[in-house]
Amino acid sequence: MGKLRQTALILGEGPTEFFYFKSLCDVFKRLTIKPDYPKHTNIKELDAKIAEVVAMGYSHIFCIIDMDTKDKEPERSQYQKLKAKYAKPINKPKKGIYCEVEFFETHRCTELFFLFYFRYTSRPYETQEPLLKDLNQCVEYRKTIEFFIKTKGLHNYFEHNGGSLEKAMANVKSDRDYTYSELGRLMERLESI
């Protein structure tokens, strides 16, 4: 029988999301945040990871999705099917399971939210490289596990270098289908739990 945990599991597609959300545990102290990511960043592995943590009894699973890998078929259709599969809460009272699975997207990738810590942009990024270049104009950033460990927490690193989570949340407000991030909405959800 699963045990219902009033905790949020953040499921990212890779180490960037894992290290960033791990660094937010100090911001959301009253909430247990367990960042995690599948071994392979494909839809099948993501679906398997969601099923695994649902069975563990988490009440909230928040999936962080980089849309740069969902621009083309068959990934786009597979992702839409996955979202539809978890559109309704999973409710299995006999097993003690009630879980809401939500998806939060960023187009192009999570680093856009990091750029929003420092400044607003509506520039359409065709690839990740110009986005990383713009981010590096604000703060040194490398997309490597070694760099993530060296910063001793991405969130604090950004704030110590002039960025702010509040600024990022203000900068994400947009109704575009390009250069957007729903991570501000995720932060609001974390605050509401």
Side-chain angles (χ1 to χ4, degrees):
M1 177 189 263
K3 181 182 175 198
L4 186 60
R5 306 166 194 221
Q6 288 301 322
T7 57
L9 183 114
I10 309 285
L11 188 55
E13 291 185 277
T16 303
E17 294 81 9
F18 173 82
F19 281 98
Y20 176 66
F21 282 97
K22 187 173 181 173
S23 76
L24 285 176
C25 289
D26 289 341
V27 175
F28 299 101
K29 290 179 181 165
R30 59 177 176 65
L31 181 65
T32 301
I33 298 176
K34 182 186 183 298
D36 203 347
Y37 63 96
K39 289 179 178 58
H40 308 288
T41 58
N42 62 43
I43 297 297
K44 187 176 179 179
E45 180 69 25
L46 183 61
D47 190 15
K49 191 69 171 176
I50 292 170
E52 176 188 323
V53 295
V54 165
M56 293 170 68
Y58 284 90
S59 59
H60 302 278
I61 300 170
F62 300 122
C63 300
I64 313 304
I65 305 296
D66 287 345
M67 295 305 288
D68 62 348
T69 60
K70 314 296 180 287
D71 282 345
K72 297 183 176 120
E73 294 298 340
E75 290 83 6
R76 180 182 298 144
S77 296
Q78 292 169 349
Y79 174 58
Q80 293 303 324
K81 286 179 188 174
L82 182 68
K83 279 176 61 174
K85 178 178 179 178
Y86 293 106
K88 293 181 181 176
I90 299 160
N91 190 9
K92 299 179 181 179
K94 290 182 180 179
K95 293 184 178 182
I97 294 175
Y98 181 86
C99 180
E100 295 178 17
V101 179
E102 295 180 60
F103 295 84
F104 298 88
E105 303 168 354
T106 299
H107 190 275
R108 179 129 307 266
C109 56
T110 300
E111 280 78 10
L112 176 65
F113 189 70
F114 301 163
L115 179 60
F116 284 148
Y117 262 74
F118 300 93
R119 67 179 178 88
Y120 175 81
T121 186
S122 61
R123 177 181 175 186
Y125 294 100
E126 295 298 320
T127 64
Q128 201 178 100
E129 287 73 25
L131 171 58
L132 295 176
K133 184 178 178 185
D134 284 355
L135 178 58
N136 270 283
Q137 290 176 350
C138 301
V139 65
E140 180 187 354
Y141 179 82
R142 302 286 171 262
K143 194 171 182 160
T144 65
I145 291 175
E146 294 79 19
F147 178 79
F148 299 150
I149 292 169
K150 180 181 141 190
T151 65
K152 298 181 179 160
L154 286 171
H155 167 70
N156 288 333
Y157 172 73
F158 295 144
E159 294 217 330
H160 287 313
N161 285 283
S164 87
L165 180 58
E166 291 76 24
K167 188 185 292 184
M169 290 180 65
N171 285 337
V172 298
K173 302 203 184 298
S174 161
D175 59 356
R176 295 184 300 268
D177 61 354
Y178 68 93
T179 313
Y180 69 90
S181 178
E182 295 178 338
L183 294 187
R185 189 169 61 83
L186 170 59
M187 301 303 173
E188 291 170 356
R189 285 288 289 127
L190 291 172
E191 288 173 351
S192 73
I193 295 176

